Amino acid sequence: MAISLQSVFKERKFPFLFALTFLLISFTILLFYNSSSFSFSSPSHSLLVSTDLHVTTSQPPPPPPQPRHSPSRSANAAAVVSSKPNDAAVSLPEPASKTTAAAAGDVDLNMSLNISWGNCKLGALAVDYIPCLDNWEAIKKLQSRRRMEHRERHCPDPSPRCLVPLPIGYKVPVRWPKSRDMIWYSNVPHPKLVEYKKEQNWVRKSGDYFVFPGGGTQFKNGVHSYIDFIHKTLPAITWGKNIRVILDVGCGVASFGGYLLDKDVITMSFAPKDEHEAQIQFALERGIPAILSVIGTQKLTFPDNAYDLIHCARCRVHWDGDGGKPLLELNRILRPGGYFIWSATPVYLDNERDSKIWKSMVALTTAICWKVVAKTVDSTGIGLVIYQKPSSYSCYKQRKEKLPPLCEQKTKQNVSWYEPLSYCISHLPVDSTGNLLRWSTPWPQRLSSKPPSLPSEPDAEDIFNEDTKHWAALVSEVYLDGLAINLARIRNVMDMNAGYGGFAAALIEQPLWVMNVVPIDAQDTLSIIFERGMIGVYHDWCESFNTYPRTYDLLHSSFLFKNLKDRCDIIDVAVEIDRILRPGGFLLARRVSGVRVNDNRKGNMSSYQAGPAEVLDYTDSE
């Protein structure tokens, strides 16, 4: 049973962020002075940091009373945080033994700095604070909101250094797979959708829980029936084989993606932070892949030709708006031969408004050579149309009017980070010899087969294969067996510097999912990750991530921080890590170092973890 927050306050523990900050600082200092180039035979360290860390203070002052409306950020190391700055120096405790110190690679964990922290001063909004999406001062200055500019990223400068508090009554999330159908109300206390969508079975409140019946605006017979209806409409769509990676635009509470997991399909569900209160937060709390995003004025943070299928069920996007740029953006990220499923009233209603939209869509999809491969209405009166993107240039060349034009060839990497939408048709992908790429190898073979966009260098395939073997061995022999991570509590995982996606690939049989992040200043490997049948995004770790607080159970960082040292303040990165980790979550940091490595039973890995979980532990009896 969960221990109450009142009892946590009495224990007077300090937040995980203190511990994480100093671990990262000490880790980074060693990294700056001792890092060497990476090779698969190089000695390496892993540093396992848990939010269960206990932090002591030097000459601590009497803690001030904690306001009831503003509980502290960390549930497993809960603290009394004053709204006034606290000048106490904070340091980690001495290692328990010489053995423990050696296991941590002799890292000095007793560094002390004078840093003051307080809760984010945003009132009731603080518990869901997302810095780059909740920058109200910047949003107020926008000249227009016509194209959803106010739902896009507007990052504050400098980055805020405040703790995001927990909702009152926060509990350890319900474990997967039960979480797909029920979550704690107190963890996401936003009942607006219950009332707003009460006739559509999105979500209901039942006692201490939100429950998700699997309904939706277009899912009148439930999401299972809707998924089967799609396959019956177009049998060429074979879930978990030729359709592995899906984008669900305007996903609601992500039931579509949640239930496709049973069919070996991984869905990137996305929606903006808008008046449909906390829909993405519901999805993430359920343990379903999701991210906050909007099709507004900028490109989505995905590579070209990424998704096997894109889905929109009444997603409220004006595809024909702004000259058709939103639909052209979908064309950019849809694989050649991939499908777009549109289930909306213009498809099956014949009133003046819907008919006008349908005619506009016919003109636009014809202009970009999308072919209608199915159009139908089910027994409830809900209809859908399925388009297919061309896999060759023949249709483009035969167009009488070359509008929209073909885009110019790319000259730089990661072009979809803060890049405006384009009025042009993206080029079809080619292999290293210039030949057009065909449909990917079916799942699951595509996970380990040679990615089509792998560079043409002679040793590129060998490097890729070695990377796959390296991560498979490391995860199997060390991460899953040699570190104190309870996999039963791990559902939402992020690889902060994903490379080829080897870490995620090695975890593919585990009951979890991985958000692969390719930093914008790293080698652009995101296309390869999608070609392997996994999901991911571009991101700049000098800014906050597009997710709610308390989102991820485990953050994995392999050789990330050394690349940030010249661009970011490591404290700001630590604040962001603290914001998005769930209470009780882990940061697993890995680096190459010239310092002595403890030769433990598995060879080249060492780790540090302090303190058992003491707060908010409960048996899975719900």
Side-chain angles (χ1 to χ4, degrees):
M1 180 175 294
I3 298 175
S4 67
L5 286 176
Q6 287 82 355
S7 65
V8 175
F9 299 153
K10 291 179 182 178
E11 293 178 18
R12 299 178 180 176
K13 298 177 184 175
F14 289 83
F16 146 72
L17 183 54
F18 291 119
L20 177 59
T21 298
F22 298 110
L23 282 171
L24 287 177
I25 293 173
S26 58
F27 157 74
T28 305
I29 290 174
L30 282 175
L31 180 64
F32 295 167
Y33 291 101
N34 298 298
S35 59
S36 61
S37 358
F38 172 78
S39 69
F40 290 108
S41 60
S42 299
S44 59
H45 279 166
S46 72
L47 184 64
L48 179 63
V49 183
S50 169
T51 55
D52 303 332
L53 290 171
H54 300 277
V55 183
T56 60
T57 61
S58 58
Q59 299 179 347
Q66 177 70 15
R68 289 182 58 86
H69 67 277
S70 185
S72 71
R73 164 62 182 88
S74 176
N76 281 325
V80 178
V81 181
S82 172
S83 59
K84 296 177 65 178
N86 186 338
D87 295 329
V90 180
S91 64
L92 288 170
E94 293 286 346
S97 66
K98 293 182 179 179
T99 303
T100 304
D106 294 333
V107 176
D108 181 8
L109 297 173
N110 294 294
M111 178 186 296
S112 296
L113 292 175
N114 290 322
I115 301 178
S116 299
W117 302 100
N119 282 351
C120 298
K121 298 179 180 179
L122 298 167
L125 300 177
V127 296
D128 294 333
Y129 180 47
I130 305 172
C132 290
L133 297 182
D134 293 335
N135 186 357
W136 306 116
E137 291 301 317
I139 292 173
K140 289 177 183 177
K141 296 177 182 178
L142 292 174
Q143 296 182 353
S144 171
R145 297 189 179 190
R146 184 174 60 88
R147 296 194 295 164
M148 302 292 286
E149 292 92 336
H150 58 301
R151 306 296 186 195
E152 295 178 325
R153 294 172 61 82
H154 304 281
C155 296
D157 186 15
S159 299
R161 292 185 177 181
C162 60
L163 304 179
V164 175
L166 293 173
I168 293 174
Y170 184 88
K171 299 178 177 67
V172 170
V174 177
R175 296 183 190 177
W176 182 265
K178 289 185 178 181
S179 63
R180 184 179 66 178
D181 301 318
M182 59 191 302
I183 63 174
W184 293 109
Y185 170 80
S186 56
N187 288 11
V188 192
H190 299 297
K192 184 176 179 180
L193 267 180
V194 175
E195 179 63 25
Y196 189 68
K197 297 290 185 180
K198 62 183 178 181
E199 303 299 329
Q200 298 172 10
N201 269 338
W202 282 29
V203 57
R204 296 175 181 171
K205 188 174 184 300
S206 177
D208 292 334
Y209 298 95
F210 280 124
V211 295
F212 301 88
T217 307
Q218 304 296 94
F219 313 154
K220 291 189 176 181
N221 287 332
V223 66
H224 279 299
S225 176
Y226 180 79
I227 290 171
D228 291 341
F229 174 57
I230 291 173
H231 175 65
K232 290 176 182 177
T233 300
L234 187 64
I237 292 177
T238 53
W239 305 120
K241 293 182 181 179
N242 69 333
I243 303 299
R244 162 64 183 174
V245 186
I246 288 179
L247 181 69
D248 189 13
V249 182
C251 61
V253 295
S255 290
F256 180 70
Y259 283 89
L260 277 171
L261 289 167
D262 292 340
K263 298 184 179 294
D264 260 352
V265 173
I266 185 78
T267 303
M268 178 78 82
S269 298
F270 88 82
K273 189 177 185 183
D274 61 8
E275 63 272 12
H276 279 178
E277 190 177 35
Q279 53 190 331
I280 292 299
Q281 194 173 21
F282 279 126
L284 293 165
E285 185 71 14
R286 296 173 72 184
I288 300 171
I291 191 171
L292 286 155
S293 190
V294 65
I295 302 178
T297 67
Q298 298 172 358
K299 292 182 178 180
L300 299 171
T301 55
F302 310 123
D304 293 2
N305 309 296
Y307 288 98
D308 306 326
L309 185 149
I310 299 176
H311 174 256
C312 161
R314 295 284 288 275
C315 58
R316 303 197 306 167
V317 178
H318 300 292
W319 298 115
D320 59 335
D322 198 17
K325 286 183 179 180
L327 197 68
L328 287 167
E329 176 64 0
L330 286 199
N331 183 75
R332 179 184 73 84
I333 62 176
L334 184 62
R335 287 184 181 276
Y339 300 101
F340 174 54
I341 299 177
W342 188 37
S343 178
T345 55
V347 177
Y348 55 90
L349 295 184
D350 196 24
N351 56 57
E352 182 179 353
R353 174 186 173 276
D354 287 314
S355 295
K356 182 178 179 180
I357 295 173
W358 173 252
K359 289 178 181 179
S360 180
M361 278 291 284
V362 168
L364 181 56
T365 54
T366 300
I368 63 174
C369 293
W370 281 12
K371 179 182 178 182
V372 175
V373 291
K375 185 184 178 190
T376 189
V377 177
D378 69 9
S379 60
T380 68
I382 298 296
L384 57 81
V385 60
I386 304 177
Y387 299 96
Q388 187 172 28
K389 178 180 174 177
S391 54
S392 74
Y393 283 103
S394 59
C395 175
Y396 298 143
K397 294 177 180 179
Q398 293 170 8
R399 295 181 301 164
K400 293 181 179 180
E401 292 189 32
K402 300 298 190 287
L403 292 175
L406 287 174
C407 299
E408 295 182 0
Q409 291 284 11
K410 293 181 179 179
T411 57
K412 59 180 180 178
Q413 292 182 326
N414 299 338
V415 294
S416 63
W417 182 252
Y418 285 124
E419 283 290 318
L421 294 180
S422 300
Y423 179 69
C424 62
I425 299 173
S426 60
H427 284 264
L428 300 178
V430 295
D431 60 20
S432 57
T433 61
N435 296 317
L436 286 176
L437 296 180
R438 301 301 178 184
W439 194 266
S440 299
T441 304
W443 181 263
Q445 290 81 9
R446 67 190 274 187
L447 181 66
S448 55
S449 61
K450 178 184 175 181
S453 64
L454 201 65
S456 57
E457 285 78 2
D459 59 347
E461 187 172 0
D462 291 338
I463 293 174
F464 170 78
N465 291 334
E466 188 65 24
D467 181 79
T468 300
K469 293 176 184 177
H470 167 75
W471 281 111
L474 189 62
V475 168
S476 174
E477 298 174 10
V478 180
Y479 286 10
L480 299 182
D481 192 31
L483 299 179
I485 299 177
N486 182 1
L487 280 180
R489 294 189 179 276
I490 303 297
R491 174 60 188 171
N492 301 348
V493 177
M494 177 188 289
D495 192 349
M496 300 173 70
N497 188 22
Y500 290 137
F503 174 72
L507 289 169
I508 204 69
E509 298 298 329
Q510 302 298 323
L512 51 81
W513 65 275
V514 180
M515 177 71 80
N516 294 284
V517 180
V518 173
I520 62 166
D521 58 335
Q523 180 184 356
D524 186 356
T525 55
L526 194 52
S527 291
I528 291 173
I529 289 171
F530 275 94
E531 287 166 358
R532 300 186 72 181
M534 299 177 290
I535 58 173
V537 293
Y538 296 119
H539 184 61
D540 183 352
W541 283 113
C542 295
E543 301 178 1
S544 73
F545 193 79
N546 274 16
T547 193
Y548 282 90
R550 306 170 300 280
T551 294
Y552 287 90
D553 302 299
L554 188 148
L555 300 182
H556 177 250
S557 169
S558 180
F559 316 120
L560 170 69
F561 298 107
K562 71 174 182 178
N563 296 327
L564 292 174
K565 64 185 179 67
D566 296 326
R567 302 179 56 246
C568 310
D569 190 322
I570 199 68
I571 300 299
D572 295 333
V573 182
V575 171
E576 179 62 5
I577 288 173
D578 174 75
R579 188 186 70 85
I580 65 179
L581 264 179
R582 281 175 168 172
F586 294 92
L587 167 66
L588 179 56
R590 185 166 179 263
R591 66 186 175 89
V592 173
S593 174
V595 300
R596 180 177 61 83
V597 178
N598 179 52
D599 186 19
N600 62 14
R601 64 188 180 88
K602 293 301 181 183
N604 67 345
M605 298 298 296
S606 61
S607 64
Y608 175 80
Q609 183 181 20
E614 295 182 0
V615 182
L616 291 175
D617 194 9
Y618 80 113
T619 56
D620 193 9
S621 59
E622 70 278 8

